[in-house]
């Protein structure tokens, strides 16, 4: 029988990513919406790992079934790790364009070697017995000087990897090196080893 897992998100893009990697392992992934759970827990943690655990625990308490939750964001060294866990609502808005403008403005005059940054993703998996397992993935790069590229979302247009922005990578190229791709493959490895 397939192990059914609830993904603590109703974002169709995330659902597809998780399905692509976990369904070949015999898991069936359903969104929290499909599971009939309509709640968005406050992300009050100070780390991505804490926030993914908060989301996963809330859903597990209700559903009492295996749950996966993720949390991610961008850490910029010259800004002391900002926007960090506030990435999605940086500057009090959900507008990606404004997020990128704020970052570029704050980094005006900061030289290339000090523009280091990374995307971080944490995934918490709660198994059928309530055991918690956390997987982290990091994607290192630098903040550029203007927006570039049409792919991706969020901070991708200003996040440079080598000579291109992560919005100039194809989805396949990005998945192969991204924070979420790495954390997701760690989770897949764990699930396949503990079936
Ligand atoms: P959440 O994990 O859905 O809470 O999203 C966190 C926020 O981090 C997003 O809204 C984006 O602003 C940013 N973020 C996370 N991963 C990426 C990425 O791969 N590219 C660009 N921005 C990202």
């Amino acid at each position: 029988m397939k192990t059914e897992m609830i993904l603590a998100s109703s974002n169709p893009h995330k659902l597809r990513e998780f399905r692509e990697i976990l369904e070949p392992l015999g898991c069936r992934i359903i969104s929290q919406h499909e599971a009939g759970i309509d709640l968005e827990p406050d992300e009050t943690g100070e780390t991505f790992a804490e926030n993914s655990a908060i989301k996963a625990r809330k859903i597990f308490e209700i559903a009492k079934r295996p749950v996966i939750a993720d949390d991610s964001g961008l850490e910029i060294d010259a800004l002391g790790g900002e926007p960090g866990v506030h990435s999605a609502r940086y500057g009090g808005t959900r507008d990606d364009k404004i997020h990128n403008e704020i970052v570029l403005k704050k980094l005006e005059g900061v030289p290339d070697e000090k523009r280091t940054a990374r995307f971080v993703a944490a995934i918490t998996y709660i198994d059928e017995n309530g055991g918690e397992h956390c997987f982290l993935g990091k994607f290192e790069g630098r903040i550029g000087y203007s927006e570039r590229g049409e792919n991706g979302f969020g901070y991708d247009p200003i996040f440079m990897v080598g000579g291109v922005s992560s919005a100039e990578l194809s989805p396949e190229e990005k998945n192969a090196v991204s924070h979420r791709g790495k954390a997701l493959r760690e989770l897949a490895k764990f699930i396949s080893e503990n079936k």
Side-chain angles (χ1 to χ4, degrees), residues 25-100:
L25 303 176
C27 306
R28 194 172 113 77
I29 311 293
I30 60 169
S31 71
Q32 125 179 18
H33 177 72
E34 287 166 326
I37 300 170
D38 182 21
L39 99 172
E40 214 180 311
D42 288 338
E43 298 181 11
T44 51
E46 285 178 11
T47 64
F48 300 109
E50 276 177 47
N51 278 336
S52 67
I54 290 171
K55 285 189 252 185
R57 282 178 201 141
K58 276 270 182 263
I59 307 286
F60 187 80
E61 273 169 28
I62 298 171
K64 303 275 188 287
R65 277 193 282 164
V67 179
I68 304 167
D70 81 324
D71 194 50
S72 59
L74 177 68
E75 290 178 349
I76 301 173
D77 294 324
L79 302 180
E82 264 188 45
V85 290
H86 307 294
S87 294
R89 290 182 208 85
Y90 198 39
T93 168
R94 284 187 171 272
D95 186 326
D96 291 336
K97 194 107 193 125
I98 297 179
H99 294 160
N100 290 336

